[in-house]
Amino acid sequence: MRNFDTDVLRALVAIADTTSFSLAAARLGRSQSAISLQIKRLEEQVGKALLTRTQGRVSGPTAEGRLLIDYARQILRLNDEVAEVLFEPSLGGRLRVGVPEELMESAFTGVLDEFSRAYPRVTLSLNCDLSVQLASLLEAGELDVALLKSVDADPRAKDTLWHEPLVWMRGIAHPVPQARPLPIAVFQEGCVFRVAALERLARHDIAWRIAFTGHSYAGLRHAVASGLAVSPLPLSLLSDGLEIVGEGLPRLPQARLLARFASGQQMPAARRLVAMFREHLWSGRRRERLA
């Protein structure tokens, strides 16, 4: 049987997340040469190249690399989970979590169900709010972990869970209004997506007006689907009744999701929840590619 070393798989995932051997080595507390040797031996074991290199830099995984990375994330999550169950049997208590509201509309529900079944002695307390408010609560010690939206974070940073395009969306049956000011639908003031979109419109001298302000994705989606306005949203929130605006509006930055822990030692339960969420996001992307 061919067995994969979890330390080597962890190195491969770190390189995929950071697109850098040196940053992956720093994340894992190893030397760059040690990480390079691990990947070389892994490629020899698999018999295929796993990473695409351009002028000595990692430009991304190969097709075989993407497949192995997706499985590696699941293997590592299960490895870490059983290790914590065996060596930290007291995993329990209250876990205070902050999440943006739109995550509750999509991926987070499945993660919560899985986490609750895996760790029934952990009592979850959720707070849905703007990322800027969640960051303040985290700093004040009122949250143990927060998932925060961002558009300017370093994609190679260790706390980056996910990244995807931020795009303009409109109702399928409704073209983008040509008259100005442009009607837009956004989340409440302070939302990082709102700030980024308004900055891009101002940079391109496009007059705008806020036609809808909402606190939930459901309300915003209905406003856009009805033709009331266009909206800047992460690509993963594209749903029935909406389509991407292909041209005519300024390009938006990448949407990123960050995991931040309270100062001091990270709670084991918080680490497990974040790991589950990361694996859920990447596994979802793999399922979409195979569909």
Side-chain angles (χ1 to χ4, degrees), residues 218-246:
L220 191 146
R221 177 174 59 81
H222 288 304
V224 176
S226 68
L228 180 64
V230 297
S231 182
L233 291 169
L235 181 59
S236 61
L237 292 183
L238 184 65
S239 58
D240 292 341
L242 304 183
E243 66 179 7
I244 298 172
V245 177

Side-chain angles (χ1 to χ4, degrees), residues 262-282:
S263 60
Q265 186 174 4
Q266 298 174 10
M267 294 178 61
R271 293 199 307 270
R272 291 307 321 133
L273 181 64
V274 168
M276 281 186 173
F277 194 73
R278 187 194 299 270
E279 192 273 328
H280 182 90
L281 286 170
W282 286 94

Side-chain angles (χ1 to χ4, degrees), residues 192-213:
V192 295
F193 298 159
R194 169 176 170 156
V195 173
L198 297 186
E199 186 274 332
R200 292 300 194 280
L201 290 173
R203 184 187 300 178
H204 287 78
D205 295 322
I206 298 176
W208 54 269
R209 66 178 178 87
I210 294 180
F212 177 88
T213 302

Side-chain angles (χ1 to χ4, degrees), residues 21-201:
F21 276 82
S22 59
L23 290 174
R27 173 186 290 191
L28 299 175
R30 305 287 302 279
S31 67
Q32 183 173 339
S33 60
I35 296 295
S36 298
L37 182 59
Q38 284 183 314
I39 299 304
K40 179 182 178 181
R41 289 176 175 171
L42 180 60
E43 290 180 325
E44 290 173 351
Q45 179 183 5
V46 174
K48 296 181 176 67
L50 300 174
L51 300 171
T52 301
R53 299 168 176 84
T54 304
Q55 296 181 344
R57 291 175 170 267
V58 177
S59 56
T62 63
E64 292 81 6
R66 284 194 298 269
L67 179 64
L68 182 55
I69 288 166
D70 286 336
Y71 278 109
R73 293 185 190 279
Q74 298 180 67
I75 292 169
L76 292 172
R77 181 180 66 80
L78 290 173
N79 176 85
D80 296 346
E81 182 177 318
V82 71
E84 288 191 340
V85 168
L86 290 174
F87 300 119
E88 297 187 45
S90 61
L91 194 66
R94 183 186 178 201
L95 180 61
R96 302 167 300 170
V97 184
V99 294
E101 173 124 16
E102 59 268 34
L103 286 184
M104 295 301 296
E105 302 271 356
S106 55
F108 204 66
T109 303
V111 176
L112 287 178
D113 179 63
E114 181 183 354
F115 183 87
S116 297
R117 285 187 282 106
Y119 305 105
R121 295 198 302 111
V122 176
T123 301
L124 289 172
S125 177
L126 298 180
N127 190 325
C128 294
D129 210 329
L130 291 172
S131 292
V132 64
Q133 300 296 336
L134 296 177
S136 296
L137 292 173
L138 190 69
E139 186 176 351
E142 297 181 33
L143 292 175
D144 301 307
V145 62
L147 303 182
L148 308 175
K149 299 185 299 185
S150 176
V151 294
D152 56 6
D154 185 345
R156 301 170 299 179
K158 185 176 182 179
D159 58 3
T160 299
L161 288 182
W162 180 249
H163 56 87
E164 62 179 319
L166 185 65
V167 298
W168 293 101
M169 296 188 193
R170 68 179 184 183
I172 288 179
H174 304 279
V176 177
Q178 297 303 307
R180 295 293 181 263
L182 176 74
I184 61 174
V186 289
F187 291 114
Q188 58 186 310
E189 190 170 353
C191 172
V192 295
F193 298 159
R194 169 176 170 156
V195 173
L198 297 186
E199 186 274 332
R200 292 300 194 280
L201 290 173

